Amino acid sequence: MRPTEHARNAALMLLGFGLLALACLYAQAGVYPMAAGTSTGAWICAEAASHLRHIARERRQLAADLERLARPQADPQALADEIALSWAELEQSCCPASWCSRGLEHDADCRPNDLQEKSS
Ligand SMILES: [Zn+2]
Protein backbone atom coordinates (compact mmCIF):
# COMPACT_ATOMS: atom_id res chain seq x y z
CA MET A 1 0.00 0.00 0.00
CA ARG A 2 1.32 3.41 -0.91
CA PRO A 3 1.62 6.07 1.83
CA THR A 4 -1.25 8.11 0.35
CA GLU A 5 -3.41 4.98 0.36
CA HIS A 6 -2.57 4.38 4.02
CA ALA A 7 -3.62 7.96 4.80
CA ARG A 8 -6.81 7.59 2.76
CA ASN A 9 -7.60 4.28 4.46
CA ALA A 10 -6.98 5.78 7.91
CA ALA A 11 -9.18 8.78 7.06
CA LEU A 12 -11.97 6.49 5.92
CA MET A 13 -11.70 4.43 9.10
CA LEU A 14 -11.74 7.58 11.26
CA LEU A 15 -14.75 8.93 9.39
CA GLY A 16 -16.50 5.58 9.73
CA PHE A 17 -15.89 5.43 13.48
CA GLY A 18 -17.02 9.04 13.83
CA LEU A 19 -20.23 8.32 11.93
CA LEU A 20 -20.80 5.20 14.03
CA ALA A 21 -20.39 7.21 17.24
CA LEU A 22 -22.79 9.80 15.87
CA ALA A 23 -25.27 7.04 14.99
CA CYS A 24 -25.08 5.81 18.59
CA LEU A 25 -25.78 9.31 19.89
CA TYR A 26 -28.74 9.70 17.51
CA ALA A 27 -30.08 6.31 18.56
CA GLN A 28 -29.79 7.22 22.25
CA ALA A 29 -31.64 10.49 21.56
CA GLY A 30 -34.35 8.60 19.72
CA VAL A 31 -33.72 10.19 16.33
CA TYR A 32 -33.80 6.90 14.48
CA PRO A 33 -33.83 8.13 10.87
CA MET A 34 -30.61 10.09 11.51
CA ALA A 35 -29.11 7.06 13.33
CA ALA A 36 -29.93 4.89 10.32
CA GLY A 37 -28.42 7.41 7.91
CA THR A 38 -25.18 7.88 9.83
CA SER A 39 -24.77 4.15 10.45
CA THR A 40 -25.22 3.60 6.70
CA GLY A 41 -22.50 6.18 6.13
CA ALA A 42 -20.24 4.33 8.57
CA TRP A 43 -20.89 1.07 6.73
CA ILE A 44 -20.07 2.73 3.38
CA CYS A 45 -16.77 4.02 4.84
CA ALA A 46 -15.88 0.54 6.06
CA GLU A 47 -16.66 -0.93 2.63
CA ALA A 48 -14.56 1.74 0.91
CA ALA A 49 -11.60 1.06 3.21
CA SER A 50 -11.95 -2.67 2.55
CA HIS A 51 -12.08 -2.02 -1.19
CA LEU A 52 -8.91 0.09 -0.99
CA ARG A 53 -7.07 -2.75 0.77
CA HIS A 54 -8.35 -5.22 -1.83
CA ILE A 55 -7.13 -3.03 -4.71
CA ALA A 56 -3.71 -2.61 -3.06
CA ARG A 57 -3.45 -6.40 -2.58
CA GLU A 58 -4.33 -7.00 -6.26
CA ARG A 59 -1.81 -4.39 -7.40
CA ARG A 60 0.93 -5.98 -5.26
CA GLN A 61 0.09 -9.45 -6.64
CA LEU A 62 0.12 -8.14 -10.21
CA ALA A 63 3.52 -6.49 -9.68
CA ALA A 64 4.90 -9.73 -8.26
CA ASP A 65 3.56 -11.72 -11.23
CA LEU A 66 5.04 -9.25 -13.73
CA GLU A 67 8.40 -9.33 -11.94
CA ARG A 68 8.39 -13.14 -11.99
CA LEU A 69 7.58 -13.18 -15.73
CA ALA A 70 10.29 -10.60 -16.51
CA ARG A 71 12.96 -12.60 -14.65
CA PRO A 72 15.24 -14.50 -17.05
CA GLN A 73 14.72 -18.23 -17.05
CA ALA A 74 17.68 -20.34 -15.96
CA ASP A 75 19.30 -22.57 -18.57
CA PRO A 76 19.23 -26.13 -17.13
CA GLN A 77 22.48 -27.17 -18.85
CA ALA A 78 24.37 -24.11 -17.60
CA LEU A 79 23.03 -24.76 -14.12
CA ALA A 80 24.16 -28.40 -14.27
CA ASP A 81 27.62 -27.32 -15.47
CA GLU A 82 27.92 -24.84 -12.62
CA ILE A 83 26.90 -27.49 -10.08
CA ALA A 84 29.45 -29.94 -11.54
CA LEU A 85 32.21 -27.31 -11.32
CA SER A 86 31.28 -26.54 -7.71
CA TRP A 87 31.38 -30.24 -6.80
CA ALA A 88 34.80 -30.56 -8.43
CA GLU A 89 36.09 -27.56 -6.46
CA LEU A 90 34.67 -29.03 -3.27
CA GLU A 91 36.33 -32.38 -3.88
CA GLN A 92 39.69 -30.74 -4.58
CA SER A 93 39.64 -28.67 -1.39
CA CYS A 94 41.23 -30.07 1.76
CA CYS A 95 38.32 -29.19 4.08
CA PRO A 96 34.91 -27.46 3.91
CA ALA A 97 36.23 -24.34 5.65
CA SER A 98 38.89 -23.98 2.97
CA TRP A 99 36.27 -24.33 0.24
CA CYS A 100 34.01 -21.73 1.88
CA SER A 101 36.83 -19.22 2.42
CA ARG A 102 38.59 -19.87 -0.91
CA GLY A 103 41.64 -21.33 0.86
CA LEU A 104 42.04 -18.59 3.49
CA GLU A 105 40.82 -20.63 6.46
CA HIS A 106 41.01 -24.30 7.41
CA ASP A 107 39.31 -26.56 9.89
CA ALA A 108 41.16 -27.20 13.16
CA ASP A 109 41.95 -30.79 12.21
CA CYS A 110 42.90 -29.95 8.60
CA ARG A 111 46.44 -30.57 7.42
CA PRO A 112 46.64 -28.84 4.04
CA ASN A 113 50.38 -29.52 3.77
CA ASP A 114 49.83 -33.26 4.23
CA LEU A 115 47.30 -33.16 1.40
CA GLN A 116 49.75 -31.39 -0.88
CA GLU A 117 52.48 -33.92 -0.03
CA LYS A 118 50.12 -36.82 -0.75
CA SER A 119 49.07 -35.41 -4.11
CA SER A 120 52.65 -34.73 -5.26
ZN1 LIG B 1 41.83 -27.27 4.97
Side-chain angles (χ1 to χ4, degrees):
M1 216 179 233
R2 296 175 185 161
T4 55
E5 291 171 342
H6 277 293
R8 191 174 297 147
N9 204 8
L12 277 171
M13 298 283 280
L14 278 175
L15 181 62
F17 281 122
L19 286 173
L20 194 60
L22 201 56
C24 290
L25 290 176
Y26 279 133
Q28 283 179 343
V31 189
Y32 296 113
M34 291 298 286
T38 49
S39 62
T40 302
W43 178 76
I44 290 172
C45 286
E47 282 294 317
S50 172
H51 185 67
L52 271 180
R53 283 193 306 273
H54 178 75
I55 287 174
R57 195 176 322 123
E58 279 188 349
R59 187 182 312 124
R60 190 172 44 247
Q61 183 63 44
L62 181 64
D65 289 346
L66 287 175
E67 194 270 339
R68 192 177 316 111
L69 286 175
R71 215 179 287 162
Q73 300 295 320
D75 180 21
Q77 185 58 45
L79 193 59
D81 291 346
E82 192 169 331
I83 289 172
L85 285 174
S86 297
W87 274 114
E89 286 178 11
L90 183 59
E91 288 172 358
Q92 289 173 355
S93 65
C94 54
C95 59
S98 172
W99 181 74
C100 290
S101 66
R102 302 248 178 224
L104 296 176
E105 298 172 6
H106 293 275
D107 285 340
D109 59 341
C110 177
R111 304 274 186 257
N113 293 333
D114 294 346
L115 184 69
Q116 289 174 353
E117 289 171 7
K118 286 179 188 173
S119 63
S120 59

